[in-house]
Amino acid sequence: MFNNTQEKKRLVAGNGKPETKPSRSNAGPTPFHRSASYLYLPQDQDTKQRVKWLIYDNNGSFNGWFDWLPIWMRVGYWSPFVMLSLVCFYSAIYWFKPQPLDFSATVLDKLEEEDANYFMGMPQTTAIDLFIFIWGIVVMVQAKISLGSIRAFPLSFTGWSWILLTSRAGLEFMAWAAAAHNNNQLASKFATIGSSIRLVTITNACVVCTIWNFILFPIIYFKSVPAGEKRRNFLKFNFGFFMTNIHVLNFPLAFVNILNGSRVRLFTMSDLWVAYLVVLLYSILYFFVLVSLYYFYWYW
């Protein structure tokens, strides 16, 4: 059923006849090959324009990097078990939401205990938060300048992890700044939101750091990238400034002021619920947008 093929057929705009084109993937066709990859949208009264819907029609192998995996592991029908699991998971998020959600505003709770003269009138923890916030933005700006485009970064789990890390530090710094200017209402909001994403920030950073460095990177390096210049280039890219930050330094940066420092606090069921909520939101993006609409299979 899944015999390898060097060709694939697709409908061509205008005549509706199949055209055979070379395929970059050796994966072969899926059980329901690509007739649904194109939609008719009316262009005017007399003509119709055929629009590509699945923009990454790649047999579940982005750039052919995962052709070595069996096709049944990459594409196919939705498993009933997966659908049931998603329904149960989404339902559980709704039914088991803690009432009320409670997050300790540690930034404000610890202000009186901290030395405010560590750096420019800030406590040490606030100065570290400011550094992490600025550094997170610098890394993304540098990546945009050096790589030309990082549009896929915010769609990746790694991107979400880095943005959460940067946002948590920024929110808790802004909470201190608002309190220093006697805007207690705004300070409380910033501190509460920053505190609410502490657990999901550290867990996502841990997942990205361990899964990429100890599982995905070795597999991609030895199985997906051909030996020689391409493998050397991949190694150079992986240990470049951007990748080192988002895959290696992300965990130590998340560790500071969450699991270490004067503002450490115990996590509660509210923190766990927020962590699962982020998983739910990313699963919606991945399963129902990247995969279902754009067929963009990638091991994020």
Side-chain angles (χ1 to χ4, degrees):
M1 182 175 177
F2 298 124
N3 293 330
N4 288 345
T5 180
Q6 294 296 326
E7 297 179 338
K8 63 180 178 182
K9 294 182 178 181
R10 60 170 58 177
L11 294 177
V12 180
N15 54 25
K17 295 180 180 180
E19 178 190 41
T20 300
K21 290 188 177 181
S23 173
R24 295 180 180 177
S25 173
N26 295 322
T30 61
F32 48 97
H33 207 44
R34 304 294 187 251
S35 60
S37 297
Y38 298 82
L39 294 179
Y40 277 109
L41 292 180
Q43 187 177 23
D44 52 47
Q45 293 182 352
D46 299 322
T47 62
K48 290 184 178 180
Q49 180 182 19
R50 189 173 288 276
V51 177
K52 191 169 184 180
W53 182 256
L54 305 179
I55 60 174
Y56 291 102
D57 193 1
N58 57 28
N59 286 325
S61 181
F62 182 65
N63 281 344
W65 291 351
F66 298 96
D67 286 355
W68 53 274
L69 285 172
I71 193 168
W72 62 267
M73 295 180 66
R74 296 185 274 116
V75 294
Y77 295 102
W78 279 66
S79 166
F81 175 76
V82 171
M83 292 188 288
L84 181 61
S85 298
L86 289 177
V87 170
C88 292
F89 176 58
Y90 293 168
S91 301
I93 291 293
Y94 175 79
W95 288 109
F96 294 103
K97 177 183 176 181
Q99 297 292 344
L101 289 172
D102 181 50
F103 305 99
S104 176
T106 53
V107 177
L108 306 181
D109 296 341
K110 302 289 185 178
L111 275 181
E112 295 182 359
E113 305 174 11
E114 297 175 329
D115 181 7
N117 298 316
Y118 178 78
F119 177 73
M120 298 180 63
M122 290 181 283
Q124 181 181 12
T125 48
T126 299
I128 293 173
D129 279 339
L130 177 60
F131 168 77
I132 295 173
F133 177 58
I134 295 175
W135 186 252
I137 295 174
V138 167
V139 168
M140 289 186 284
V141 171
Q142 189 276 340
K144 177 68 172 76
I145 295 172
S146 61
L147 300 177
S149 175
I150 55 171
R151 288 178 297 177
F153 182 66
L155 302 177
S156 69
F157 188 83
T158 301
W160 280 41
S161 172
W162 188 259
I163 292 169
L164 281 169
L165 184 153
T166 305
S167 299
R168 196 282 312 165
L171 286 165
E172 297 204 341
F173 166 74
M174 289 186 287
W176 171 86
H181 289 83
N182 298 318
N183 193 334
N184 295 329
Q185 184 176 3
L186 187 60
S188 178
K189 289 181 179 179
F190 283 146
T192 301
I193 297 172
S195 181
S196 70
I197 59 175
R198 282 181 156 235
L199 177 60
V200 70
T201 296
I202 189 66
T203 53
N204 281 20
C206 180
V207 167
V208 168
C209 184
T210 54
I211 297 298
W212 175 261
N213 291 299
F214 300 105
I215 299 177
L216 288 182
F217 170 68
I219 291 175
I220 295 173
Y221 182 78
F222 290 108
K223 297 286 291 184
S224 298
V225 182
E229 184 178 358
K230 289 186 177 181
R231 186 171 289 182
R232 289 192 296 271
N233 290 339
F234 175 73
L235 194 64
K236 181 179 178 181
F237 172 72
N238 185 73
F239 289 101
F241 177 80
F242 180 56
M243 297 289 279
T244 299
N245 272 277
I246 64 175
H247 286 145
V248 179
L249 297 182
N250 62 330
F251 183 62
L253 289 173
F255 183 87
V256 177
N257 285 1
I258 296 181
L259 299 182
N260 182 58
S262 61
R263 297 177 183 173
V264 173
R265 67 170 178 83
L266 294 176
F267 295 124
T268 66
M269 291 300 294
S270 294
D271 296 293
L272 184 62
W273 186 84
V274 170
Y276 280 131
L277 178 64
V278 172
V279 173
L280 179 149
L281 294 174
Y282 189 76
S283 72
I284 292 174
L285 172 66
Y286 185 83
F287 287 120
F288 302 107
V289 178
L290 295 180
V291 172
S292 295
L293 296 185
Y294 296 107
Y295 221 74
F296 189 23
Y297 285 86
W298 178 232
Y299 296 80
W300 299 90

